[in-house]
Amino acid sequence: MSKTALITGATSGFGAAAVRRFAAAGWKVIATGRRAERLAPFVDEFGSEAVHTAAFDIRDGDALNAAIDALPADFAGIDLLVNNAGLALGTAPAQQADLAQWQQMIDTNITALVTLTRRVLPTLIARKGAVINISSVAATYPYTGGNVYGGTKAFVKQFSLGLRSDLHGTGVRVTSIEPGMAQTEFTLVRTGGNQAASDALYGDAHPMTSEDIAEQIFYVATLPAHLNINRLEIMPVTQSFAGFQVARG
Ligand code: NDP
Ligand code: 8X3
């Protein structure tokens, strides 16, 4: 019998590639995101028996619960939750940052993620399923302007480890995947639609692709049931670390 994955943030980037990777491998997929017009093509491509779509703003707890309540029976047995929906907004230093942008990152990357996880956990426990949370290298390595975004991803990383602990003995697996630079709509969103900034960041840098990350998600999800990767940090070869900074005078 095919397994079922619920993948958030499926309208773009990692999430869209993951929907295709899992559906192509015979999984049933629940694909979510706000842009319904980006979800519909998955049904055209894979069929309504393979992909169920639910368009809602993940920050809206009522809409989230309604989408789970409305799952067709064929899709209600969720075996894998991929908490991928998320965003960075802005690169300003904290002292100049827009508080509304900080709030949106917290609401999306943290509050919505824990709300959906809490909602789906009983099903995952009943089915000895798995949670894959998309954190970031920004969870571990601070950079200027990363402030709240990095903080939200550090939460996701630590929440994942905490879930592992709480779910001890249930057979449910939990992994925090922590990617570095990957070319998606991430930078367009972060810069408010600045295509030149996005092109400048990724240009000639051989960043990771959405398919690279989808492949890692699929790999983690399809490991033998007795194995749990706790954290998976992954970067393009072209990206590494810089040193500390010192202010003088
Ligand atoms: P994209 O911008 O391409 O995709 C982000 C996805 O999140 C979209 O499908 C978007 O859907 C969804 N999303 C955002 N806000 C909401 C919301 N309020 N309600 C529902 N869905 C929402 O970026 P990526 O694919 O790169 O990002 C996926 C995840 O990977 C994010 O959590 C990001 O932080 C993380 N990440 C990205 C890295 C990168 O370099 N690209 C590196 C490390 C981590 P829609 O707008 O249609 O609602
Ligand atoms: C996205 C990667 O380095 O832009 O999470 O923060 S980074």
PDB file of all heavy atoms in Angstrom, residues 9-15 33-35 56-59 84-87 108-109 134-137 149 153 179-186 189 202, ligand 1:
ATOM      1  N   GLY A   9       4.171  24.187   1.811  1.00  0.00           N
ATOM      2  CA  GLY A   9       5.012  25.028   0.957  1.00  0.00           C
ATOM      3  C   GLY A   9       5.273  24.367  -0.380  1.00  0.00           C
ATOM      4  O   GLY A   9       6.389  24.412  -0.910  1.00  0.00           O
ATOM      5  N   ALA A  10       4.221  23.776  -0.939  1.00  0.00           N
ATOM      6  CA  ALA A  10       4.376  22.958  -2.150  1.00  0.00           C
ATOM      7  C   ALA A  10       4.213  23.760  -3.434  1.00  0.00           C
ATOM      8  O   ALA A  10       4.287  23.197  -4.520  1.00  0.00           O
ATOM      9  CB  ALA A  10       3.363  21.813  -2.119  1.00  0.00           C
ATOM     10  N   THR A  11       3.991  25.065  -3.321  1.00  0.00           N
ATOM     11  CA  THR A  11       3.750  25.861  -4.527  1.00  0.00           C
ATOM     12  C   THR A  11       5.038  26.302  -5.207  1.00  0.00           C
ATOM     13  O   THR A  11       4.988  26.912  -6.278  1.00  0.00           O
ATOM     14  CB  THR A  11       2.937  27.125  -4.187  1.00  0.00           C
ATOM     15  OG1 THR A  11       3.677  27.881  -3.214  1.00  0.00           O
ATOM     16  CG2 THR A  11       1.569  26.775  -3.640  1.00  0.00           C
ATOM     17  N   SER A  12       6.178  26.007  -4.589  1.00  0.00           N
ATOM     18  CA  SER A  12       7.427  26.566  -5.097  1.00  0.00           C
ATOM     19  C   SER A  12       8.610  25.809  -4.494  1.00  0.00           C
ATOM     20  O   SER A  12       8.450  25.069  -3.516  1.00  0.00           O
ATOM     21  CB  SER A  12       7.477  28.050  -4.662  1.00  0.00           C
ATOM     22  OG  SER A  12       8.735  28.613  -4.887  1.00  0.00           O
ATOM     23  N   GLY A  13       9.770  25.981  -5.075  1.00  0.00           N
ATOM     24  CA  GLY A  13      11.026  25.561  -4.461  1.00  0.00           C
ATOM     25  C   GLY A  13      11.062  24.123  -3.984  1.00  0.00           C
ATOM     26  O   GLY A  13      10.647  23.194  -4.678  1.00  0.00           O
ATOM     27  N   PHE A  14      11.596  23.928  -2.778  1.00  0.00           N
ATOM     28  CA  PHE A  14      11.800  22.577  -2.224  1.00  0.00           C
ATOM     29  C   PHE A  14      10.485  21.791  -2.189  1.00  0.00           C
ATOM     30  O   PHE A  14      10.458  20.594  -2.488  1.00  0.00           O
ATOM     31  CB  PHE A  14      12.328  22.625  -0.784  1.00  0.00           C
ATOM     32  CG  PHE A  14      13.612  23.370  -0.573  1.00  0.00           C
ATOM     33  CD1 PHE A  14      14.013  23.713   0.720  1.00  0.00           C
ATOM     34  CD2 PHE A  14      14.438  23.731  -1.630  1.00  0.00           C
ATOM     35  CE1 PHE A  14      15.198  24.400   0.946  1.00  0.00           C
ATOM     36  CE2 PHE A  14      15.628  24.419  -1.420  1.00  0.00           C
ATOM     37  CZ  PHE A  14      15.997  24.758  -0.113  1.00  0.00           C
ATOM     38  N   GLY A  15       9.411  22.465  -1.765  1.00  0.00           N
ATOM     39  CA  GLY A  15       8.141  21.772  -1.575  1.00  0.00           C
ATOM     40  C   GLY A  15       7.594  21.245  -2.894  1.00  0.00           C
ATOM     41  O   GLY A  15       7.140  20.091  -2.970  1.00  0.00           O
ATOM     42  N   GLY A  33      -0.195  25.122   0.275  1.00  0.00           N
ATOM     43  CA  GLY A  33       0.435  26.431   0.060  1.00  0.00           C
ATOM     44  C   GLY A  33      -0.705  27.401  -0.193  1.00  0.00           C
ATOM     45  O   GLY A  33      -1.853  26.981  -0.322  1.00  0.00           O
ATOM     46  N   ARG A  34      -0.370  28.694  -0.262  1.00  0.00           N
ATOM     47  CA  ARG A  34      -1.463  29.658  -0.479  1.00  0.00           C
ATOM     48  C   ARG A  34      -1.898  29.738  -1.940  1.00  0.00           C
ATOM     49  O   ARG A  34      -3.067  29.941  -2.231  1.00  0.00           O
ATOM     50  CB  ARG A  34      -1.023  31.066  -0.020  1.00  0.00           C
ATOM     51  CG  ARG A  34      -0.998  31.244   1.475  1.00  0.00           C
ATOM     52  CD  ARG A  34      -0.288  32.523   1.870  1.00  0.00           C
ATOM     53  NE  ARG A  34       1.112  32.509   1.433  1.00  0.00           N
ATOM     54  CZ  ARG A  34       2.003  33.428   1.738  1.00  0.00           C
ATOM     55  NH1 ARG A  34       1.650  34.455   2.465  1.00  0.00           N
ATOM     56  NH2 ARG A  34       3.247  33.319   1.313  1.00  0.00           N
ATOM     57  N   ARG A  35      -0.961  29.588  -2.872  1.00  0.00           N
ATOM     58  CA  ARG A  35      -1.275  29.833  -4.294  1.00  0.00           C
ATOM     59  C   ARG A  35      -1.893  28.594  -4.948  1.00  0.00           C
ATOM     60  O   ARG A  35      -1.188  27.727  -5.469  1.00  0.00           O
ATOM     61  CB  ARG A  35      -0.006  30.282  -5.017  1.00  0.00           C
ATOM     62  CG  ARG A  35       0.435  31.706  -4.645  1.00  0.00           C
ATOM     63  CD  ARG A  35       1.800  32.037  -5.131  1.00  0.00           C
ATOM     64  NE  ARG A  35       2.850  31.339  -4.389  1.00  0.00           N
ATOM     65  CZ  ARG A  35       4.157  31.472  -4.614  1.00  0.00           C
ATOM     66  NH1 ARG A  35       4.575  32.285  -5.561  1.00  0.00           N
ATOM     67  NH2 ARG A  35       5.035  30.798  -3.886  1.00  0.00           N
ATOM     68  N   PHE A  56      -4.281  27.103   1.537  1.00  0.00           N
ATOM     69  CA  PHE A  56      -4.642  27.927   2.705  1.00  0.00           C
ATOM     70  C   PHE A  56      -3.379  28.593   3.240  1.00  0.00           C
ATOM     71  O   PHE A  56      -2.258  28.156   2.957  1.00  0.00           O
ATOM     72  CB  PHE A  56      -5.315  27.081   3.798  1.00  0.00           C
ATOM     73  CG  PHE A  56      -4.454  25.961   4.347  1.00  0.00           C
ATOM     74  CD1 PHE A  56      -3.689  26.151   5.486  1.00  0.00           C
ATOM     75  CD2 PHE A  56      -4.415  24.721   3.719  1.00  0.00           C
ATOM     76  CE1 PHE A  56      -2.891  25.120   5.989  1.00  0.00           C
ATOM     77  CE2 PHE A  56      -3.626  23.686   4.217  1.00  0.00           C
ATOM     78  CZ  PHE A  56      -2.868  23.884   5.351  1.00  0.00           C
ATOM     79  N   ASP A  57      -3.613  29.656   3.986  1.00  0.00           N
ATOM     80  CA  ASP A  57      -2.502  30.339   4.651  1.00  0.00           C
ATOM     81  C   ASP A  57      -2.200  29.564   5.927  1.00  0.00           C
ATOM     82  O   ASP A  57      -3.055  29.451   6.813  1.00  0.00           O
ATOM     83  CB  ASP A  57      -2.899  31.793   4.970  1.00  0.00           C
ATOM     84  CG  ASP A  57      -1.709  32.598   5.496  1.00  0.00           C
ATOM     85  OD1 ASP A  57      -0.869  32.031   6.228  1.00  0.00           O
ATOM     86  OD2 ASP A  57      -1.638  33.796   5.180  1.00  0.00           O
ATOM     87  N   ILE A  58      -0.999  29.064   6.035  1.00  0.00           N
ATOM     88  CA  ILE A  58      -0.668  28.161   7.145  1.00  0.00           C
ATOM     89  C   ILE A  58      -0.658  28.876   8.493  1.00  0.00           C
ATOM     90  O   ILE A  58      -0.694  28.237   9.550  1.00  0.00           O
ATOM     91  CB  ILE A  58       0.671  27.445   6.841  1.00  0.00           C
ATOM     92  CG1 ILE A  58       0.754  26.146   7.636  1.00  0.00           C
ATOM     93  CG2 ILE A  58       1.860  28.355   7.087  1.00  0.00           C
ATOM     94  CD1 ILE A  58       1.784  25.179   7.104  1.00  0.00           C
ATOM     95  N   ARG A  59      -0.660  30.201   8.455  1.00  0.00           N
ATOM     96  CA  ARG A  59      -0.722  30.968   9.712  1.00  0.00           C
ATOM     97  C   ARG A  59      -2.139  31.006  10.282  1.00  0.00           C
ATOM     98  O   ARG A  59      -2.332  31.405  11.429  1.00  0.00           O
ATOM     99  CB  ARG A  59      -0.252  32.416   9.473  1.00  0.00           C
ATOM    100  CG  ARG A  59       1.205  32.527   9.111  1.00  0.00           C
ATOM    101  CD  ARG A  59       1.527  33.928   8.640  1.00  0.00           C
ATOM    102  NE  ARG A  59       0.859  34.234   7.380  1.00  0.00           N
ATOM    103  CZ  ARG A  59       0.824  35.444   6.815  1.00  0.00           C
ATOM    104  NH1 ARG A  59       1.384  36.467   7.411  1.00  0.00           N
ATOM    105  NH2 ARG A  59       0.195  35.619   5.659  1.00  0.00           N
ATOM    106  N   ASN A  84       7.780  22.272   5.502  1.00  0.00           N
ATOM    107  CA  ASN A  84       8.696  22.992   4.621  1.00  0.00           C
ATOM    108  C   ASN A  84       8.312  24.456   4.436  1.00  0.00           C
ATOM    109  O   ASN A  84       9.187  25.295   4.226  1.00  0.00           O
ATOM    110  CB  ASN A  84       8.705  22.273   3.258  1.00  0.00           C
ATOM    111  CG  ASN A  84       9.348  23.106   2.178  1.00  0.00           C
ATOM    112  OD1 ASN A  84      10.561  23.267   2.145  1.00  0.00           O
ATOM    113  ND2 ASN A  84       8.534  23.666   1.286  1.00  0.00           N
ATOM    114  N   ALA A  85       7.021  24.777   4.539  1.00  0.00           N
ATOM    115  CA  ALA A  85       6.588  26.158   4.311  1.00  0.00           C
ATOM    116  C   ALA A  85       7.346  27.095   5.237  1.00  0.00           C
ATOM    117  O   ALA A  85       7.468  26.846   6.433  1.00  0.00           O
ATOM    118  CB  ALA A  85       5.082  26.293   4.560  1.00  0.00           C
ATOM    119  N   GLY A  86       7.863  28.165   4.673  1.00  0.00           N
ATOM    120  CA  GLY A  86       8.602  29.105   5.498  1.00  0.00           C
ATOM    121  C   GLY A  86       9.187  30.189   4.635  1.00  0.00           C
ATOM    122  O   GLY A  86       9.141  30.137   3.410  1.00  0.00           O
ATOM    123  N   LEU A  87       9.733  31.182   5.308  1.00  0.00           N
ATOM    124  CA  LEU A  87      10.286  32.304   4.549  1.00  0.00           C
ATOM    125  C   LEU A  87      11.206  33.149   5.422  1.00  0.00           C
ATOM    126  O   LEU A  87      11.148  33.112   6.652  1.00  0.00           O
ATOM    127  CB  LEU A  87       9.163  33.182   3.991  1.00  0.00           C
ATOM    128  CG  LEU A  87       8.421  34.166   4.918  1.00  0.00           C
ATOM    129  CD1 LEU A  87       7.477  35.030   4.107  1.00  0.00           C
ATOM    130  CD2 LEU A  87       7.681  33.476   6.046  1.00  0.00           C
ATOM    131  N   THR A 108       4.896  32.089  10.654  1.00  0.00           N
ATOM    132  CA  THR A 108       4.961  31.058   9.607  1.00  0.00           C
ATOM    133  C   THR A 108       5.936  29.949   9.984  1.00  0.00           C
ATOM    134  O   THR A 108       5.588  28.755   9.957  1.00  0.00           O
ATOM    135  CB  THR A 108       5.417  31.688   8.267  1.00  0.00           C
ATOM    136  OG1 THR A 108       4.634  32.840   7.984  1.00  0.00           O
ATOM    137  CG2 THR A 108       5.291  30.673   7.120  1.00  0.00           C
ATOM    138  N   ASN A 109       7.146  30.346  10.323  1.00  0.00           N
ATOM    139  CA  ASN A 109       8.223  29.350  10.490  1.00  0.00           C
ATOM    140  C   ASN A 109       8.112  28.596  11.818  1.00  0.00           C
ATOM    141  O   ASN A 109       8.592  27.467  11.926  1.00  0.00           O
ATOM    142  CB  ASN A 109       9.593  30.034  10.417  1.00  0.00           C
ATOM    143  CG  ASN A 109       9.835  30.744   9.090  1.00  0.00           C
ATOM    144  OD1 ASN A 109       8.995  30.721   8.210  1.00  0.00           O
ATOM    145  ND2 ASN A 109      10.974  31.394   8.955  1.00  0.00           N
ATOM    146  N   ILE A 134      12.095  21.395   7.788  1.00  0.00           N
ATOM    147  CA  ILE A 134      13.113  22.115   7.023  1.00  0.00           C
ATOM    148  C   ILE A 134      13.586  23.315   7.841  1.00  0.00           C
ATOM    149  O   ILE A 134      12.898  24.333   7.972  1.00  0.00           O
ATOM    150  CB  ILE A 134      12.594  22.558   5.637  1.00  0.00           C
ATOM    151  CG1 ILE A 134      12.014  21.354   4.869  1.00  0.00           C
ATOM    152  CG2 ILE A 134      13.735  23.211   4.857  1.00  0.00           C
ATOM    153  CD1 ILE A 134      12.989  20.191   4.637  1.00  0.00           C
ATOM    154  N   SER A 135      14.761  23.149   8.396  1.00  0.00           N
ATOM    155  CA  SER A 135      15.425  24.228   9.126  1.00  0.00           C
ATOM    156  C   SER A 135      16.370  24.916   8.143  1.00  0.00           C
ATOM    157  O   SER A 135      16.014  25.128   6.976  1.00  0.00           O
ATOM    158  CB  SER A 135      16.142  23.640  10.347  1.00  0.00           C
ATOM    159  OG  SER A 135      16.933  24.605  10.996  1.00  0.00           O
ATOM    160  N   SER A 136      17.571  25.227   8.561  1.00  0.00           N
ATOM    161  CA  SER A 136      18.516  25.947   7.688  1.00  0.00           C
ATOM    162  C   SER A 136      19.887  25.954   8.355  1.00  0.00           C
ATOM    163  O   SER A 136      19.983  25.840   9.591  1.00  0.00           O
ATOM    164  CB  SER A 136      18.031  27.396   7.521  1.00  0.00           C
ATOM    165  OG  SER A 136      19.032  28.216   6.965  1.00  0.00           O
ATOM    166  N   VAL A 137      20.914  26.194   7.551  1.00  0.00           N
ATOM    167  CA  VAL A 137      22.229  26.448   8.154  1.00  0.00           C
ATOM    168  C   VAL A 137      22.181  27.706   9.013  1.00  0.00           C
ATOM    169  O   VAL A 137      22.989  27.872   9.937  1.00  0.00           O
ATOM    170  CB  VAL A 137      23.343  26.581   7.083  1.00  0.00           C
ATOM    171  CG1 VAL A 137      23.595  25.273   6.368  1.00  0.00           C
ATOM    172  CG2 VAL A 137      23.022  27.693   6.074  1.00  0.00           C
ATOM    173  N   TYR A 149      15.173  35.446  11.307  1.00  0.00           N
ATOM    174  CA  TYR A 149      15.083  34.257  10.438  1.00  0.00           C
ATOM    175  C   TYR A 149      15.925  33.122  11.031  1.00  0.00           C
ATOM    176  O   TYR A 149      15.445  31.994  11.196  1.00  0.00           O
ATOM    177  CB  TYR A 149      15.548  34.580   9.006  1.00  0.00           C
ATOM    178  CG  TYR A 149      15.528  33.344   8.138  1.00  0.00           C
ATOM    179  CD1 TYR A 149      14.321  32.742   7.777  1.00  0.00           C
ATOM    180  CD2 TYR A 149      16.710  32.728   7.720  1.00  0.00           C
ATOM    181  CE1 TYR A 149      14.289  31.584   7.017  1.00  0.00           C
ATOM    182  CE2 TYR A 149      16.693  31.572   6.953  1.00  0.00           C
ATOM    183  CZ  TYR A 149      15.474  31.004   6.603  1.00  0.00           C
ATOM    184  OH  TYR A 149      15.449  29.847   5.860  1.00  0.00           O
ATOM    185  N   LYS A 153      14.769  29.380  12.595  1.00  0.00           N
ATOM    186  CA  LYS A 153      15.290  28.092  12.110  1.00  0.00           C
ATOM    187  C   LYS A 153      16.031  27.345  13.232  1.00  0.00           C
ATOM    188  O   LYS A 153      16.059  26.105  13.245  1.00  0.00           O
ATOM    189  CB  LYS A 153      16.174  28.314  10.881  1.00  0.00           C
ATOM    190  CG  LYS A 153      15.381  28.774   9.656  1.00  0.00           C
ATOM    191  CD  LYS A 153      14.276  27.786   9.295  1.00  0.00           C
ATOM    192  CE  LYS A 153      13.495  28.155   8.061  1.00  0.00           C
ATOM    193  NZ  LYS A 153      12.488  27.179   7.677  1.00  0.00           N
ATOM    194  N   PRO A 179      19.473  23.067   5.134  1.00  0.00           N
ATOM    195  CA  PRO A 179      20.179  23.408   3.896  1.00  0.00           C
ATOM    196  C   PRO A 179      20.853  24.770   3.962  1.00  0.00           C
ATOM    197  O   PRO A 179      20.409  25.679   4.671  1.00  0.00           O
ATOM    198  CB  PRO A 179      19.060  23.440   2.837  1.00  0.00           C
ATOM    199  CG  PRO A 179      17.822  22.920   3.505  1.00  0.00           C
ATOM    200  CD  PRO A 179      18.016  23.164   4.959  1.00  0.00           C
ATOM    201  N   GLY A 180      21.912  24.897   3.166  1.00  0.00           N
ATOM    202  CA  GLY A 180      22.511  26.204   2.890  1.00  0.00           C
ATOM    203  C   GLY A 180      21.884  26.765   1.628  1.00  0.00           C
ATOM    204  O   GLY A 180      20.696  26.536   1.350  1.00  0.00           O
ATOM    205  N   MET A 181      22.702  27.446   0.828  1.00  0.00           N
ATOM    206  CA  MET A 181      22.188  28.212  -0.314  1.00  0.00           C
ATOM    207  C   MET A 181      21.595  27.324  -1.415  1.00  0.00           C
ATOM    208  O   MET A 181      22.285  26.496  -1.995  1.00  0.00           O
ATOM    209  CB  MET A 181      23.316  29.054  -0.901  1.00  0.00           C
ATOM    210  CG  MET A 181      22.882  29.932  -2.051  1.00  0.00           C
ATOM    211  SD  MET A 181      24.220  31.003  -2.617  1.00  0.00           S
ATOM    212  CE  MET A 181      25.434  29.809  -3.134  1.00  0.00           C
ATOM    213  N   ALA A 182      20.340  27.545  -1.693  1.00  0.00           N
ATOM    214  CA  ALA A 182      19.650  26.820  -2.754  1.00  0.00           C
ATOM    215  C   ALA A 182      18.824  27.814  -3.553  1.00  0.00           C
ATOM    216  O   ALA A 182      18.172  28.691  -2.972  1.00  0.00           O
ATOM    217  CB  ALA A 182      18.740  25.740  -2.163  1.00  0.00           C
ATOM    218  N   GLN A 183      18.858  27.680  -4.861  1.00  0.00           N
ATOM    219  CA  GLN A 183      18.148  28.639  -5.706  1.00  0.00           C
ATOM    220  C   GLN A 183      16.673  28.269  -5.827  1.00  0.00           C
ATOM    221  O   GLN A 183      16.316  27.264  -6.448  1.00  0.00           O
ATOM    222  CB  GLN A 183      18.763  28.691  -7.098  1.00  0.00           C
ATOM    223  CG  GLN A 183      18.146  29.778  -7.957  1.00  0.00           C
ATOM    224  CD  GLN A 183      18.980  30.119  -9.170  1.00  0.00           C
ATOM    225  OE1 GLN A 183      19.961  29.445  -9.476  1.00  0.00           O
ATOM    226  NE2 GLN A 183      18.610  31.166  -9.870  1.00  0.00           N
ATOM    227  N   THR A 184      15.846  29.101  -5.213  1.00  0.00           N
ATOM    228  CA  THR A 184      14.383  28.946  -5.241  1.00  0.00           C
ATOM    229  C   THR A 184      13.817  30.367  -5.321  1.00  0.00           C
ATOM    230  O   THR A 184      14.536  31.297  -5.675  1.00  0.00           O
ATOM    231  CB  THR A 184      13.882  28.268  -3.949  1.00  0.00           C
ATOM    232  OG1 THR A 184      14.179  29.142  -2.847  1.00  0.00           O
ATOM    233  CG2 THR A 184      14.549  26.911  -3.712  1.00  0.00           C
ATOM    234  N   GLU A 185      12.573  30.524  -4.912  1.00  0.00           N
ATOM    235  CA  GLU A 185      12.012  31.877  -4.830  1.00  0.00           C
ATOM    236  C   GLU A 185      12.361  32.542  -3.493  1.00  0.00           C
ATOM    237  O   GLU A 185      11.913  33.657  -3.198  1.00  0.00           O
ATOM    238  CB  GLU A 185      10.493  31.826  -5.027  1.00  0.00           C
ATOM    239  CG  GLU A 185      10.109  31.383  -6.432  1.00  0.00           C
ATOM    240  CD  GLU A 185       8.609  31.318  -6.664  1.00  0.00           C
ATOM    241  OE1 GLU A 185       7.832  31.803  -5.819  1.00  0.00           O
ATOM    242  OE2 GLU A 185       8.205  30.771  -7.706  1.00  0.00           O
ATOM    243  N   PHE A 186      13.149  31.844  -2.678  1.00  0.00           N
ATOM    244  CA  PHE A 186      13.486  32.306  -1.329  1.00  0.00           C
ATOM    245  C   PHE A 186      14.003  33.753  -1.317  1.00  0.00           C
ATOM    246  O   PHE A 186      13.544  34.585  -0.521  1.00  0.00           O
ATOM    247  CB  PHE A 186      14.535  31.349  -0.745  1.00  0.00           C
ATOM    248  CG  PHE A 186      15.029  31.692   0.624  1.00  0.00           C
ATOM    249  CD1 PHE A 186      14.333  31.299   1.759  1.00  0.00           C
ATOM    250  CD2 PHE A 186      16.209  32.410   0.795  1.00  0.00           C
ATOM    251  CE1 PHE A 186      14.803  31.604   3.031  1.00  0.00           C
ATOM    252  CE2 PHE A 186      16.680  32.718   2.064  1.00  0.00           C
ATOM    253  CZ  PHE A 186      15.983  32.316   3.177  1.00  0.00           C
ATOM    254  N   VAL A 189      11.437  36.374  -2.410  1.00  0.00           N
ATOM    255  CA  VAL A 189      10.515  36.657  -1.305  1.00  0.00           C
ATOM    256  C   VAL A 189      11.211  37.533  -0.260  1.00  0.00           C
ATOM    257  O   VAL A 189      10.664  38.533   0.211  1.00  0.00           O
ATOM    258  CB  VAL A 189      10.009  35.342  -0.673  1.00  0.00           C
ATOM    259  CG1 VAL A 189       9.231  35.603   0.606  1.00  0.00           C
ATOM    260  CG2 VAL A 189       9.145  34.570  -1.675  1.00  0.00           C
ATOM    261  N   TYR A 202      22.737  34.086  -6.620  1.00  0.00           N
ATOM    262  CA  TYR A 202      22.915  32.718  -7.126  1.00  0.00           C
ATOM    263  C   TYR A 202      23.823  32.652  -8.353  1.00  0.00           C
ATOM    264  O   TYR A 202      24.333  31.574  -8.693  1.00  0.00           O
ATOM    265  CB  TYR A 202      21.539  32.118  -7.469  1.00  0.00           C
ATOM    266  CG  TYR A 202      20.581  32.080  -6.298  1.00  0.00           C
ATOM    267  CD1 TYR A 202      19.304  32.631  -6.374  1.00  0.00           C
ATOM    268  CD2 TYR A 202      20.958  31.477  -5.093  1.00  0.00           C
ATOM    269  CE1 TYR A 202      18.420  32.592  -5.299  1.00  0.00           C
ATOM    270  CE2 TYR A 202      20.084  31.444  -4.010  1.00  0.00           C
ATOM    271  CZ  TYR A 202      18.818  32.003  -4.125  1.00  0.00           C
ATOM    272  OH  TYR A 202      17.960  31.958  -3.052  1.00  0.00           O
TER     273      TYR A 202
HETATM  274  P1  NDP B   1      10.183  29.309  -1.757  1.00  0.00           P
HETATM  275  O1  NDP B   1       9.916  30.748  -1.506  1.00  0.00           O
HETATM  276  O2  NDP B   1      10.460  28.878  -3.154  1.00  0.00           O
HETATM  277  O3  NDP B   1       8.992  28.415  -1.159  1.00  0.00           O
HETATM  278  C1  NDP B   1       8.406  28.729   0.078  1.00  0.00           C
HETATM  279  C2  NDP B   1       7.097  27.986   0.213  1.00  0.00           C
HETATM  280  O4  NDP B   1       6.523  28.317   1.497  1.00  0.00           O
HETATM  281  C3  NDP B   1       6.083  28.370  -0.854  1.00  0.00           C
HETATM  282  O5  NDP B   1       5.439  27.219  -1.338  1.00  0.00           O
HETATM  283  C4  NDP B   1       5.089  29.239  -0.093  1.00  0.00           C
HETATM  284  O6  NDP B   1       3.779  29.083  -0.617  1.00  0.00           O
HETATM  285  C5  NDP B   1       5.163  28.634   1.312  1.00  0.00           C
HETATM  286  N1  NDP B   1       4.653  29.585   2.290  1.00  0.00           N
HETATM  287  C6  NDP B   1       5.225  30.729   2.725  1.00  0.00           C
HETATM  288  N2  NDP B   1       4.404  31.388   3.557  1.00  0.00           N
HETATM  289  C7  NDP B   1       3.266  30.637   3.639  1.00  0.00           C
HETATM  290  C8  NDP B   1       2.034  30.796   4.307  1.00  0.00           C
HETATM  291  N3  NDP B   1       1.781  31.869   5.086  1.00  0.00           N
HETATM  292  N4  NDP B   1       1.086  29.847   4.167  1.00  0.00           N
HETATM  293  C9  NDP B   1       1.316  28.763   3.391  1.00  0.00           C
HETATM  294  N5  NDP B   1       2.461  28.551   2.734  1.00  0.00           N
HETATM  295  C10 NDP B   1       3.422  29.493   2.849  1.00  0.00           C
HETATM  296  O7  NDP B   1      11.427  28.958  -0.827  1.00  0.00           O
HETATM  297  P2  NDP B   1      12.201  27.577  -0.514  1.00  0.00           P
HETATM  298  O8  NDP B   1      11.673  26.439  -1.289  1.00  0.00           O
HETATM  299  O9  NDP B   1      13.637  27.898  -0.601  1.00  0.00           O
HETATM  300  O10 NDP B   1      11.843  27.446   1.016  1.00  0.00           O
HETATM  301  C11 NDP B   1      11.303  26.269   1.609  1.00  0.00           C
HETATM  302  C12 NDP B   1      11.831  26.173   3.024  1.00  0.00           C
HETATM  303  O11 NDP B   1      13.246  25.984   2.977  1.00  0.00           O
HETATM  304  C13 NDP B   1      11.602  27.411   3.880  1.00  0.00           C
HETATM  305  O12 NDP B   1      11.228  26.999   5.183  1.00  0.00           O
HETATM  306  C14 NDP B   1      12.972  28.081   3.905  1.00  0.00           C
HETATM  307  O13 NDP B   1      13.165  28.847   5.054  1.00  0.00           O
HETATM  308  C15 NDP B   1      13.879  26.873   3.879  1.00  0.00           C
HETATM  309  N6  NDP B   1      15.240  27.058   3.420  1.00  0.00           N
HETATM  310  C16 NDP B   1      15.529  27.596   2.190  1.00  0.00           C
HETATM  311  C17 NDP B   1      16.859  27.698   1.782  1.00  0.00           C
HETATM  312  C18 NDP B   1      17.249  28.296   0.482  1.00  0.00           C
HETATM  313  O14 NDP B   1      18.430  28.692   0.325  1.00  0.00           O
HETATM  314  N7  NDP B   1      16.375  28.393  -0.496  1.00  0.00           N
HETATM  315  C19 NDP B   1      17.951  27.204   2.616  1.00  0.00           C
HETATM  316  C20 NDP B   1      17.530  26.667   3.893  1.00  0.00           C
HETATM  317  C21 NDP B   1      16.234  26.579   4.252  1.00  0.00           C
HETATM  318  P3  NDP B   1       2.761  30.284  -0.940  1.00  0.00           P
HETATM  319  O15 NDP B   1       3.555  31.541  -1.092  1.00  0.00           O
HETATM  320  O16 NDP B   1       2.047  29.858  -2.196  1.00  0.00           O
HETATM  321  O17 NDP B   1       1.859  30.302   0.243  1.00  0.00           O
END
